Amino acid sequence: MKKGTIVLSVLLVLSNFLWLVFFAFTVIDHGVTMTYQNASYETKEKMLEQALVAANKNIVGQSLSAAEALIKIDSYGLEPFIKDGCFHAGGLCFKINENNIVTGIESE
């Protein structure tokens, strides 16, 4: 009878430990998920801010030099740059044609 009680006590402690590990894993997983979600929202918010700046300044249809003059610092506080036919600013790609005219806006 004593061995049965010891075995049941060990199994009870072991099962409680496993539930604690599962709970801790769930809490950590939820924290990581929320962190990524908040970072995603912040990125989209910055892209929206930059898009609103572009819309208010009528960037599409203007020359590249005019766009550079209008957007000196992007919504992240960084200098915009030109790469692969795009003027990159604030998570947006301002498409540039062969005549250095901004023809459209895409998200990166």
Side-chain angles (χ1 to χ4, degrees), residues 27-44:
V27 168
I28 291 170
D29 182 56
H30 181 70
V32 169
T33 301
M34 294 305 295
T35 300
Y36 278 112
Q37 183 181 19
N38 288 340
S40 176
Y41 284 148
E42 289 173 8
T43 301
K44 295 298 181 190

Side-chain angles (χ1 to χ4, degrees), residues 3-98:
K3 278 188 176 181
T5 306
I6 292 173
V7 169
L8 287 176
S9 297
V10 169
L11 288 175
L12 177 64
V13 170
L14 184 61
S15 71
N16 285 341
F17 178 73
L18 289 175
W19 276 108
L20 177 66
V21 168
F22 176 72
F23 177 74
F25 175 77
T26 304
V27 168
I28 291 170
D29 182 56
H30 181 70
V32 169
T33 301
M34 294 305 295
T35 300
Y36 278 112
Q37 183 181 19
N38 288 340
S40 176
Y41 284 148
E42 289 173 8
T43 301
K44 295 298 181 190
E45 184 178 348
K46 292 293 184 183
M47 288 173 70
L48 176 62
E49 287 175 17
Q50 194 67 56
L52 289 174
V53 167
N56 286 332
K57 294 184 177 185
N58 294 324
I59 299 287
V60 175
Q62 294 192 20
S63 67
L64 177 59
S65 58
E68 288 175 323
L70 291 171
I71 302 177
K72 294 179 179 148
I73 296 178
D74 69 10
S75 59
Y76 290 104
L78 303 172
E79 284 190 31
F81 59 95
I82 300 169
K83 182 179 176 186
D84 298 331
C86 283
F87 177 63
H88 295 272
L92 297 175
C93 164
F94 297 87
K95 288 289 203 182
I96 303 168
N97 66 9
E98 60 278 348

